[in-house]
Amino acid sequence: MNFKYFLPTNIFFGQDCIVKNAETFDKSGKKAVIVTGKKSARLNGSEKDVRAALDSRGIPFVLFNEVESNPSIETVRKAAELSRNENADFVIGIGGGSPLDAAKAIAVLINNDVNDDELFSGKYLNPVAPVIAVPTTAGTGSEVTPYAILTDKKIENKKNLSTPLIFPAAAFLDAKYTESLPLNVTVNTAIDLMSHSVEGYLASRANSMSRMYSIESLNVFGECIPALTGKAELNIKIREKLLYASMMAGIVIAHTGTTVVHAMGYPLTYFRKIEHGRANGLLMHEYLKFISSMHPDKVKILIHELGLADIKEFGNLMDMLLGEKEILSRDEIEKFSSVALQAGSISNTDPVPKIDDIKKIFTSSFPG
Ligand code: NAP
Ligand code: FE
């Protein structure tokens, strides 16, 4: 056996965990920049709880609430400039994966005036500011990963900033913030967590520790399937399970990275505006068929952990969760396949797909 395991994030999970552990903020710095999306953090109570915790500790803050889905490099640069002007020395990201990822990149830029190449290099002259993460979707696991996925308009794709320096120092997971998620966002983000656990389990970089988290996460996800497909109530207990499973799936990819599914999903999001989790979900069934040709036993284990009988039943589940599928043209398949092939995560897929494998997964995943 041979592996590395590193998780420097202090995790607080449970109802009211922010206000109950407000002293945690003292360790991070003297002034915070709170980073959110446009609306949801104000409506679901998460921003209010963070403000209350900071007030109770006498820590001042400034707010940046302009993070869009799939955040751009321009947005994080704008937020970093505000943070520097306001002398903020730590970053609190509240929201889905987009504000959390933006918070990590802002933390790099606060103390480092670097160009885009240097930003993605993972090596900086000055320290990265501490990040505190408050997820309000249950899917990306960004609160426990060393990744920030940014949209780079120059390369017309999403790009992964990956360095242990951006692991959040602390993460607060309270499922009550996720109660306001609409069903489609709940389902899409849940698919993202499932894809992290599945891809992580099957990745070349998987190890016995990461597989343990994959299995636990898929088991818990399996318990949520009836609620996700409308056959049971989507109550706070299920919300909590999804948040827990998402965090574990984040721990998985923090160690294994993602694979061909994420590589293929990024152009679907960039060019066709398909939400991140949904993009992965659309590809997942054909991806499992592809992996199964080489590793049928591993795929069977995962399907059983989800509580399903076989790959066919998995395909039916995905069809139910995804509803009507988008249509891709031949030109799009050609273009997206060459984009996907460039991604570093392709070589982390076992077996490593060739261009024709990628085209086949795209072609079989979409009607038309
Ligand atoms: P998101 O883009 O963060 O948010 C999607 C939508 O959900 C937004 O409109 C947001 O509204 C809304 N929302 C968030 N929380 C809500 C709540 N509690 N109630 C109601 N609405 C809420 O979506 P996401 O799927 O969580 O994140 C996707 C991003 O994460 C992608 O860029 C993806 O590449 C990245 N990602 C990162 C990692 C990693 O390890 N770092 C892993 C996987 C994916 P507001 O804008 O108003 O907040
Ligand atoms: Fe993802």
Side-chain angles (χ1 to χ4, degrees), residues 37 67 136 156 176 198 210 235 246 263 355 359:
V67 179
T136 66
E156 296 193 310
K176 72 175 179 233
V198 168
S210 70
N235 56 27
S246 167
I355 186 80
K359 281 186 199 167

Side-chain angles (χ1 to χ4, degrees), residues 215-237:
I215 294 295
E216 172 73 353
S217 155
L218 292 174
N219 252 303
V220 176
F221 177 85
E223 292 167 19
C224 303
I225 290 174
L228 292 171
T229 50
K231 298 194 177 101
E233 196 196 339
L234 188 52
N235 56 27
I236 186 72
K237 285 210 167 72

Side-chain angles (χ1 to χ4, degrees), residues 300 303-304 306-314:
K300 263 188 209 142
I303 302 261
H304 290 162
L306 288 168
L308 304 172
D310 50 29
I311 288 203
K312 191 159 176 285
E313 202 183 327
F314 180 86

Side-chain angles (χ1 to χ4, degrees), residues 105-142:
I106 295 162
V108 170
L109 292 169
I110 280 187
N111 298 327
N112 293 281
D113 186 11
V114 291
N115 66 29
D116 290 358
D117 286 343
E118 290 161 338
L119 170 64
F120 286 95
S121 74
K123 294 189 181 68
Y124 314 108
L125 277 179
N126 300 314
V128 174
V131 175
I132 292 185
V134 182
T136 66
T137 62
T140 72
S142 177

Side-chain angles (χ1 to χ4, degrees), residues 28-35 54 59-64 78-92 103 106-112 127-131:
S28 296
K30 294 194 166 55
K31 182 168 182 181
V33 53
I34 299 179
V35 176
L54 292 174
I59 301 172
F61 57 85
V62 56
L63 177 69
F64 181 84
K78 187 173 173 194
E81 194 183 330
L82 169 80
S83 310
R84 278 194 296 266
N85 292 341
E86 293 280 341
N87 291 319
D89 59 0
F90 73 108
V91 189
I92 305 173
I106 295 162
V108 170
L109 292 169
I110 280 187
N111 298 327
N112 293 281
V128 174
V131 175

